[in-house]
Amino acid sequence: MKYPNIAAERAKRGMSLDVLAKELGVARKTVYNWEQKGHIPLSALERMSEMFSCSIDYLLNRSA
């Protein structure tokens, strides 16, 4: 499952894959894989939710 909202939030802020990866302490390829395939650790979802001021449900394209 793809998570386009993560990429959209990143793009809104002009944030590259490299920058987000560095903020999360992971490799660029890891962030790319999350956006394309999912399997995102809860700790990363929580951090992105805080960074982007949005819910985890939004990041995962789920209706709350």
Side-chain angles (χ1 to χ4, degrees):
M1 175 178 285
K2 290 186 178 187
Y3 297 116
N5 289 345
I6 295 172
E9 288 300 314
R10 194 172 48 72
K12 276 186 202 177
R13 289 157 180 79
M15 185 181 280
S16 68
L17 283 169
D18 292 318
V19 170
L20 181 55
K22 186 173 182 176
E23 288 287 325
L24 297 172
V26 298
R28 177 187 190 280
K29 180 77 172 166
T30 301
V31 174
Y32 175 81
N33 285 336
W34 290 344
E35 290 180 359
Q36 298 301 312
K37 302 174 191 170
H39 309 293
I40 307 168
L42 181 57
S43 60
L45 285 168
E46 289 170 339
R47 179 70 179 113
M48 285 188 279
S49 175
E50 291 172 9
M51 288 172 61
F52 299 146
S53 298
C54 63
S55 71
I56 290 173
D57 284 333
Y58 168 75
L59 292 174
L60 297 178
N61 265 358
R62 290 191 236 164
S63 300

